[in-house]
Amino acid sequence: MRVTVFFISILAFISFRSKAQQSPEVSQYVIHQPFVNTASIAKSGAQNGALIFKQQWLGYEGAPTSFFMNYNMPLKSASRFGGILLSNDRIGIHNNGRLSAIYAHKFRIDSKSFFSLSAAPGLQFIQSDYTQIQTDFPDDPTFQGSATSMFSVNMGAGAYYFNKKFFAGLALPTLLYNHFEPTGTENKGTIGFDIKQIPLNLTGGWKKDLGKFFSIQPSFLLKYEVASAMQIDINAMAEYREVIGFGLSYRTTQAVNIMANYRISKLFKIGYAFNTQIGSKLGSYHSGTHEVALLYGIENGRQTSINIPKKIKRYRKKKAKERKKALKKLQKEQPELAPGGKRNNKQPYS
């Protein structure tokens, strides 16, 4: 047990020294894109958001856990949107938190196409509690000390094109390079700008209807970060009436995601994703990565087009047209019934 905690702590220590810029990873960005591109908040004209909890390597002591939260809303103008994005990663003795504000502006290209730009200034907080480490050698100088913490600032940006069936976006999650070297005795950190260190997310996808009730949405995500290999996700999400969804995703890091979601009401949807590594020896020590999501305010055009109130409205409109047509026909056959017409008193009333 002690070896496990020590092993996780070593991995986390190395990761915080060499991969401080690595952004949090969410599997269900397929159904809620602000986690990979903040400019996508302009796609919805109503309030929306998501809560996601992720447990990596379930059953492995000290494994990473993550929490994500996003909330967006239109501002006073129909072309301006605001939101917040919060994430927290706990890896061994390390706790990494981020809080960003989002502003996006939408531009109309034509009657069906739009383009948006976003800016996301934020804060990052890192805390390391070295008192939790148990080493085989007492008073190990590498891990001596108490809890330490550091703050930093950063800025993200995004661009996003979308219409009813297609979307594409480019996002820069962090524009500033924050390099941290937390140790048990001192904190070292630098903030600067280096274009070679800027990560990027490139996304794209389209939606195709398969009949009246079914649809499929293929998409991809290309994720580049200096501290890790380039990652490409190939996704496919199928939906029935936009109520039940099922999806698969393959990641070039030899990972497979299985996703499912269900709309429990007009405003809320729940989602689940399971991630497993292909051919990983570590897989024999845990039961995969699990991710649970609660989404709010996701628009549902297909369900709205077949809902009961709208069907009643169409029925009433159809019957009103039929009555008007029948009245015109009757007035044509019997002119005395037309407005202003004179009834022939010699003819008996029917």
Side-chain angles (χ1 to χ4, degrees):
M1 211 56 89
R2 204 166 83 175
V3 174
T4 299
V5 175
F6 181 74
F7 176 70
I8 291 291
S9 299
I10 288 291
L11 288 179
F13 180 77
I14 295 172
S15 128
F16 270 68
R17 287 177 62 94
S18 62
K19 298 183 181 180
Q21 290 298 106
Q22 191 168 10
S23 58
E25 192 170 85
V26 181
S27 297
Q28 297 183 80
Y29 65 83
V30 177
I31 55 177
H32 193 73
Q33 296 186 44
F35 289 117
V36 294
N37 191 331
T38 53
S40 65
I41 70 172
K43 189 174 183 179
S44 174
Q47 298 181 42
N48 64 89
L51 295 173
I52 295 181
F53 176 77
K54 179 179 179 181
Q55 175 66 67
Q56 191 170 341
W57 306 342
L58 186 66
Y60 203 92
E61 184 181 0
T65 60
S66 304
F67 172 79
F68 307 89
M69 190 275 286
N70 171 242
Y71 174 76
N72 314 296
M73 62 180 297
L75 302 179
K76 292 182 179 180
S77 171
S79 60
R80 295 184 297 169
F81 302 83
I84 58 173
L85 188 62
L86 173 67
S87 67
N88 181 264
D89 290 299
R90 184 175 293 276
I91 309 174
I93 66 167
H94 301 290
N95 190 24
N96 184 1
R98 297 185 183 187
L99 175 63
S100 300
I102 306 172
Y103 173 79
H105 196 96
K106 182 171 68 174
F107 305 90
R108 180 183 292 273
I109 298 177
D110 54 37
S111 60
K112 297 181 179 180
S113 302
F114 301 89
F115 179 76
S116 62
L117 295 173
S118 69
L123 298 172
Q124 184 175 4
F125 170 74
I126 291 180
Q127 184 180 51
S128 302
D129 188 0
Y130 293 94
T131 61
Q132 296 182 12
I133 294 182
Q134 300 177 5
T135 62
D136 293 329
F137 304 98
D139 301 324
D140 190 329
T142 306
F143 296 100
Q144 281 185 348
S146 59
T148 61
S149 59
M150 290 175 289
F151 279 96
S152 69
V153 296
N154 218 312
M155 168 73 76
Y160 193 78
Y161 167 84
F162 64 95
N163 56 34
K164 190 175 181 181
K165 297 293 184 182
F166 176 80
F167 70 88
L170 175 65
L172 308 177
T174 53
L175 296 176
L176 301 179
Y177 177 66
N178 299 331
H179 181 67
F180 301 111
E181 292 186 0
T183 65
T185 57
E186 60 178 335
N187 299 329
K188 294 181 180 180
T190 58
I191 301 176
F193 177 79
D194 185 352
I195 192 169
K196 296 180 181 179
Q197 299 288 344
I198 297 178
L200 64 85
N201 295 333
L202 178 65
T203 57
W206 66 96
K207 185 175 182 179
K208 181 171 180 60
D209 292 330
L210 303 175
K212 188 176 181 181
F213 301 121
F214 290 92
S215 67
I216 186 170
Q217 180 172 300
S219 64
F220 75 90
L221 166 64
L222 186 152
K223 191 173 184 178
Y224 168 77
E225 294 183 356
V226 175
S228 59
M230 182 180 295
Q231 172 185 307
I232 301 177
D233 292 6
I234 305 298
N235 315 301
M237 176 65 70
E239 290 186 318
Y240 171 71
R241 286 190 172 181
E242 295 188 359
V243 174
I244 301 174
F246 179 79
L248 290 173
S249 176
Y250 173 76
R251 188 167 293 161
T252 52
T253 53
Q254 293 186 322
V256 174
N257 286 318
I258 302 173
M259 297 169 286
N261 58 78
Y262 175 72
R263 182 176 296 280
I264 56 179
S265 70
K266 186 176 180 181
L267 292 178
F268 290 96
K269 176 184 286 189
I270 55 174
Y272 170 77
F274 173 77
N275 174 280
T276 184
Q277 295 288 133
I278 301 175
S280 173
K281 294 182 179 180
L282 188 63
S284 58
Y285 297 96
H286 63 84
S287 57
T289 297
H290 303 260
E291 188 178 290
V292 180
L294 175 64
L295 298 100
Y296 164 76
I298 307 301
E299 293 184 345
N300 187 9
R302 186 184 298 269
Q303 190 180 59
T304 302
S305 66
I306 60 171
N307 62 19
I308 299 301
K310 197 163 186 177
K311 291 184 72 173
I312 293 174
K313 186 176 180 180
R314 287 181 178 177
Y315 175 80
R316 289 177 175 176
K317 190 174 181 180
K318 180 180 178 181
K319 288 300 180 181
K321 286 183 178 180
E322 291 177 354
R323 287 194 298 268
K324 189 175 180 180
K325 185 177 180 181
L327 182 59
K328 285 184 178 180
K329 183 178 179 181
L330 182 62
Q331 290 173 349
K332 186 176 180 180
E333 295 175 351
Q334 302 183 26
E336 66 276 8
L337 297 179
K342 295 182 179 180
R343 181 180 295 277
N344 187 354
N345 294 327
K346 295 182 178 180
Q347 296 181 353
Y349 291 102
S350 59

